Amino acid sequence: EVASVSDALEQQLHLRRYMSHRMQQVSGGKFAGFAVTVRLEKDEGAANGTAPMLAAIDTGARDSVYVASIEDGENMTGIGGLMGTAMNTRGFAGAVIDGAARDVGYLRKMGFAVYATGITPSTVVGHYRAVRGLPVVCDGVPVSPGDVVTADGDGVVVVPRAEAARIVVAAQQLDYTEHSMYGYIESLKSIEAAVAKFGRL
């Protein structure tokens, strides 16, 4: 669970790598995968400015997560139905956009997982130039190519690739402990007793 991954990052590495409440699930469900990064910079009238963005999709491996950061992009769309179809066909795990999504009806029909900070009908074509394969900051969180990005109904968390194995083990243990507590709380009707026994909240 993403909450356990977030807790594991704080406990093991003293890092807060979760995105804010602004990053919302637009379509699809939970996922985990490896970041493919794109930064979109304002460049009015740019010719073929989105070509690197398309190349990032067409060269992305299975289980990639498309992570896009759009400069001043609150009302600019970073993913739509065509891009979502391409990612879904190539086996991407999902997409995280620091900016907006559009064609959400089609994205939801496909079931492709997209998290974004908004929904608008706009386009970046002709207004932005893309740069791919570099570290980005997505909703305040640093993301490097290959980092592990995980998302569910609680939000989005980024794990540095070098620490991923360690964090996964710690998160799995936190999951196990928390799930063990539910029945204990229901039986005793006491969260204090469960926290005292399991040491987890």
Side-chain angles (χ1 to χ4, degrees):
E1 295 178 4
V2 166
S4 293
V5 176
S6 180
D7 287 355
L9 277 165
E10 286 206 48
Q11 292 174 11
Q12 298 289 319
L13 302 176
H14 310 292
L15 292 176
R16 294 184 180 181
R17 289 292 181 91
Y18 52 86
M19 295 186 190
S20 77
H21 66 279
R22 296 171 58 247
M23 187 61 70
Q24 294 289 313
Q25 183 177 348
V26 172
S27 60
K30 62 184 180 179
F31 65 77
F34 303 100
V36 170
T37 59
V38 172
R39 185 170 68 232
L40 288 155
E41 302 169 346
K42 288 190 288 188
D43 187 357
E44 198 63 34
N48 298 319
T50 56
M53 179 175 73
L54 306 183
I57 297 170
D58 277 1
T59 57
R62 186 170 189 83
D63 296 323
S64 292
V65 176
Y66 181 83
V67 179
S69 175
I70 306 174
E71 182 184 4
D72 295 332
E74 182 177 2
N75 294 306
M76 300 305 295
T77 295
I79 188 172
L82 298 177
M83 292 171 61
T85 298
M87 293 180 208
N88 195 42
T89 300
R90 291 189 62 81
F92 276 53
V96 179
I97 312 297
D98 191 352
R102 73 178 191 180
D103 304 327
V104 295
Y106 194 74
L107 292 170
R108 289 169 181 165
K109 181 180 178 181
M110 276 193 299
F112 183 65
V114 174
Y115 289 68
T117 56
I119 298 171
T120 74
S122 66
T123 181
V124 295
V125 176
H127 306 292
Y128 282 80
R129 183 174 301 282
V131 181
R132 67 181 176 115
L134 297 176
V136 299
V137 176
C138 187
D139 193 31
V141 177
V143 185
S144 293
D147 282 352
V148 175
V149 182
T150 183
D152 65 17
D154 287 338
V156 180
V157 172
V158 179
V159 181
R161 180 68 179 265
E163 304 292 345
R166 173 183 175 186
I167 296 304
V168 165
V169 171
Q172 287 174 329
Q173 183 57 51
L174 290 171
D175 271 355
Y176 176 78
T177 300
E178 182 163 320
H179 295 173
S180 299
M181 292 173 68
Y182 293 134
Y184 197 82
I185 292 169
E186 291 168 354
S187 175
L188 297 181
K189 298 180 175 60
S190 171
I191 191 170
E192 289 180 315
V195 171
K197 177 175 175 62
F198 291 94
R200 166 94 169 119
L201 180 61

